[in-house]
């Protein structure tokens, strides 16, 4: 998907499902559940064993039906591998200049991580399309609102601490989009094969920010 189209999709869909599991095997069924609930942007973290291979599988199977990203990227080598596997956006918990370089060369969406207002601005100035505010659980929606007051052009995606119950508050505070991990894709639910529960969570989340 072209860079501008991927950015638009994130800005309009506003929800990124962050998939971090002990085994990549169940991920296709997780994706089906998420799609059934209305979420079509999926980030596969590289901490998941077999993540790169699974990204390639999902890209071949779903095409543009999902916007597919790779997360937990820490360096240029991982970013390049993710791009080769078919990722369309790259996410890091920190600012990785290597990841940013690869994103610029490949035309992929870059979402580096930052925590403080200074880090957020520097990431934006370095070419970030969005900034992952991480970990956001110790900050809260009020932090997003405060940062955007003097810098309203920032595109922030809080991740870590976003739940089904507080998602709307993060959006109302001015977040461009939200990243949800275990609050949405619960590893326990996946182990129990409760994919219907994942679909219901996705649907409830979509309804809450509609």
């Amino acid at each position: 998907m072209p860079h501008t189209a991927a950015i638009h999709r994130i800005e309009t869909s506003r929800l990124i499902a962050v998939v971090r599991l002990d085994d990549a095997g169940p991920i296709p069924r997780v994706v089906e559940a998420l799609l059934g609930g209305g979420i079509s942007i999926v980030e596969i973290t590289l901490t998941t064993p077999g993540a790169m291979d699974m990204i390639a599988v999902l890209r071949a199977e779903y095409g543009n039906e999902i916007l597919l990203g790779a997360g937990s990227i820490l360096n240029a080598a991982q970013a390049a591998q993710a791009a080769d596997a078919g990722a369309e956006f790259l996410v890091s918990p920190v600012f990785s200049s290597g990841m940013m370089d690869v994103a610029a060369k490949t035309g992929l969406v870059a979402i580096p991580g930052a925590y403080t207002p200074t880090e957020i601005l520097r990431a934006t100035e370095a070419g970030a399309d969005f900034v992952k505010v991480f970990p956001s659980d110790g900050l809260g929606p009020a932090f997003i609102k405060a940062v955007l007051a003097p810098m309203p052009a920032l595109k922030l995606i809080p991740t870590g601490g976003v739940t089904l119950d507080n998602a709307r508050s993060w959006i109302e505070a001015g977040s461009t989009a939200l990243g949800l991990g275990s609050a949405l894709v619960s590893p326990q639910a996946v182990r129990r094969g409760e994919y219907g529960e994942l679909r219901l969570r996705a649907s409830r989340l979509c309804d809450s920010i509609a």
Side-chain angles (χ1 to χ4, degrees):
M1 180 177 295
H3 184 262
T4 54
I7 289 176
H8 178 72
R9 189 161 177 177
I10 292 172
E11 291 176 338
T12 54
S13 298
R14 312 191 80 173
L15 294 171
I16 300 174
V18 181
V19 180
R20 177 178 286 107
L21 299 172
D22 296 331
D23 174 17
I27 289 180
R29 295 192 66 186
V30 170
V31 171
E32 282 297 317
L34 293 170
L35 282 171
I39 295 178
S40 63
I41 305 179
V42 181
E43 170 192 333
I44 309 299
T45 68
L46 299 191
T47 54
T48 300
M52 290 295 188
D53 290 340
M54 181 52 65
I55 289 171
V57 168
L58 295 174
R59 168 57 50 238
E61 182 172 349
Y62 289 96
N64 288 332
E65 188 176 357
I66 63 173
L67 183 65
L68 184 61
S72 301
I73 294 176
L74 301 178
N75 53 56
Q78 290 177 330
Q81 290 173 351
D84 289 342
E88 295 166 290
F89 63 94
L90 305 175
V91 187
S92 177
V94 295
F95 182 84
S96 165
S97 58
M99 185 195 83
M100 297 296 292
D101 290 343
V102 171
K105 292 175 182 177
T106 58
L108 301 186
V109 174
I111 311 177
Y115 190 73
T116 69
T118 298
E119 290 175 350
I120 291 169
L121 180 60
R122 286 178 176 171
T124 301
E125 291 175 337
D129 296 296
F130 305 92
V131 177
K132 173 180 177 174
V133 182
F134 176 83
S136 62
D137 52 351
L139 299 172
F143 175 81
I144 300 296
K145 185 176 182 179
V147 170
L148 290 175
M151 298 182 286
L154 296 176
K155 297 181 179 181
L156 308 181
I157 303 180
T159 308
V162 181
T163 69
L164 275 65
D165 294 325
N166 67 21
R168 187 174 182 84
S169 296
W170 289 99
I171 291 294
E172 290 174 342
S175 303
T176 299
L178 307 174
L180 287 96
S182 59
L184 175 60
V185 184
S186 163
Q188 293 81 10
V190 173
R191 282 195 291 268
R192 293 192 294 264
E194 297 173 350
Y195 298 103
E197 171 64 20
L198 299 187
R199 181 184 59 78
L200 289 174
R201 292 186 186 192
S203 178
R204 177 184 164 193
L205 184 60
C206 290
D207 290 342
S208 73
I209 69 165

